[in-house]
Amino acid sequence: MKLRLGIPKGSLQEATLSLFTRAGLRVYTSARSYVATTDDPEIECLLIRAQEMARYVEHGALDAGLTGLDWVLESGLDIVKVTDLIYAKQSMGRVKWVLAVPEESTFQKLEDLEGRIIATELVSFTRNYFARRNVAVRVEFSWGATEVKPPLLADAIVEVTETGSSLRANHLRVLETLLESNTQLIANKAAWADAARRQKIENLAVMLSGAMAAVGRVGLMLNVHKADLPAVLGLLTALKNPTVAPLADGDWVAVNTVIEENTAWTLIPKLKQANAQGIVEYPLNKVVM
């Protein structure tokens, strides 16, 4: 049994391949091929545009794939959402699809665009959004460089943004956010119904989610005398509770926990002042809840 998995080609590709590496599954790509191999002989990857991923998953050409919620909604296809993976091209966060107009325009709200032209790559979703608001507009598909189209080629755009820098560079201002989107692991319904394939997809979800959860966190272990343990525990915050284990010397215990990496700089000196010893900070590859 081989699992056919879609990897998003384009802007999400590098972030996705990096996530797979952190999860422990290396994906080997070639500039000359859309087929990629992995360290797992039972997983075969195809590089597919995120915009097309839901179609190939729904049709069964792929058992599973990674794509954005935006493109799943745009497709309108019936697939299984396995898990959310909150990462984007530049950050570990969501992206926004926004309605933007030229800075100097008189448009102040969505309703002001009645009868106007909207350029976007997210055509079906945008049409439905305006229809729900009872605002009649002409939505045109944009093949790219959408930010440069107003005001000459369109009155407004619906465009994806992660930082807003491209909108600002093109002198556009946001009227409204239509959708917040993130990467999802999706599956074909027949593959999900097959026990072996489903187990493989669920295992993949566990490892990818674990790699995501480890981002920005580090492990911390230390030794402390039992008399000083309450003071040390008072300084620590963990996913649940720190693990406390006895040492060979019955008066001492070992403490193991997970902390946010950006707190280590101030926390470790405080732990030292609270009489903790043998403090070790170490990197994490995965945190599986």
Side-chain angles (χ1 to χ4, degrees):
M1 184 275 296
K2 263 202 174 185
L3 186 78
R4 296 186 305 275
L5 178 68
I7 300 290
K9 184 174 179 62
S11 62
L12 273 180
Q13 181 174 332
E14 289 308 313
T16 302
L17 295 178
S18 176
L19 173 61
F20 271 72
T21 298
R22 294 199 307 275
L25 183 67
R26 292 188 179 275
V27 180
Y28 303 96
T29 62
S30 167
R32 297 174 179 268
S33 176
Y34 282 79
V35 178
T37 59
T38 74
D39 288 332
D40 187 335
E42 294 183 348
I43 297 180
E44 178 183 74
C45 294
L46 293 176
L47 298 174
I48 303 291
R49 283 170 56 85
Q51 294 91 325
E52 302 176 294
M53 191 72 72
R55 185 201 323 163
Y56 293 121
V57 169
E58 196 269 347
H59 290 176
L62 297 170
D63 296 311
L66 286 87
T67 188
L69 167 64
D70 43 8
W71 300 117
V72 173
L73 295 176
E74 176 71 3
S75 74
L77 296 173
D78 189 16
I79 49 82
V80 177
K81 174 200 152 185
V82 180
T83 192
D84 286 306
L85 298 167
I86 313 298
Y87 73 95
K89 177 182 178 181
Q90 300 178 45
S91 66
M92 306 307 289
R94 293 178 170 86
V95 297
K96 295 180 180 180
W97 283 87
V98 299
L99 175 64
V101 297
E103 288 178 349
E104 303 302 321
S105 74
T106 59
F107 305 123
Q108 297 300 319
K109 58 185 185 299
L110 178 143
E111 287 73 14
D112 294 339
L113 292 163
E114 177 81 30
R116 302 287 185 161
I117 296 174
I118 314 296
T120 185
E121 204 176 345
L122 205 68
V123 173
S124 294
F125 181 88
T126 300
R127 281 181 181 149
N128 293 336
Y129 191 91
F130 274 87
R132 288 195 298 270
R133 297 282 288 271
N134 296 313
V135 178
V137 294
R138 178 177 164 187
V139 180
E140 295 185 347
F141 179 74
S142 173
W143 290 94
T146 307
E147 298 97 327
V148 304
K149 294 188 174 177
L152 183 62
L153 302 177
D155 298 293
I157 64 171
V158 171
E159 179 65 340
V160 66
T161 181
E162 190 171 347
T163 65
S165 59
S166 183
L167 296 175
R168 291 189 294 272
N170 286 280
H171 308 290
L172 299 172
R173 57 182 168 85
V174 174
L175 291 187
E176 191 168 312
T177 297
L178 279 64
L179 173 69
E180 287 195 4
S181 179
N182 57 267
T183 308
Q184 293 185 331
L185 175 61
I186 62 173
N188 170 269
K189 295 186 80 171
W192 192 247
D194 178 83
R197 283 183 167 80
R198 177 168 179 162
Q199 186 63 63
K200 199 75 176 176
I201 295 168
E202 288 181 334
N203 290 347
L204 180 64
V206 166
M207 298 302 277
L208 293 175
S209 297
M212 291 287 304
V215 173
R217 290 172 169 160
V218 293
L220 195 70
M221 57 185 180
L222 57 89
N223 299 329
V224 64
H225 194 279
K226 285 183 177 179
D228 297 312
L229 181 60
V232 166
L233 293 181
L235 294 170
L236 295 175
T237 56
L239 299 180
K240 290 186 178 177
N241 290 310
T243 299
V244 179
L247 294 176
D249 183 334
D251 292 330
W252 287 75
V253 293
V255 178
N256 205 334
T257 190
V258 175
I259 63 171
E260 298 298 323
E261 186 175 14
N262 59 11
T263 67
W265 176 258
T266 56
L267 176 61
I268 290 176
K270 291 179 181 178
L271 291 170
K272 184 66 176 174
Q273 292 166 12
N275 296 324
Q277 296 183 15
I279 303 170
V280 178
E281 176 190 341
Y282 55 92
L284 300 172
N285 288 328
K286 288 171 281 294
V287 176
V288 178
M289 308 301 236

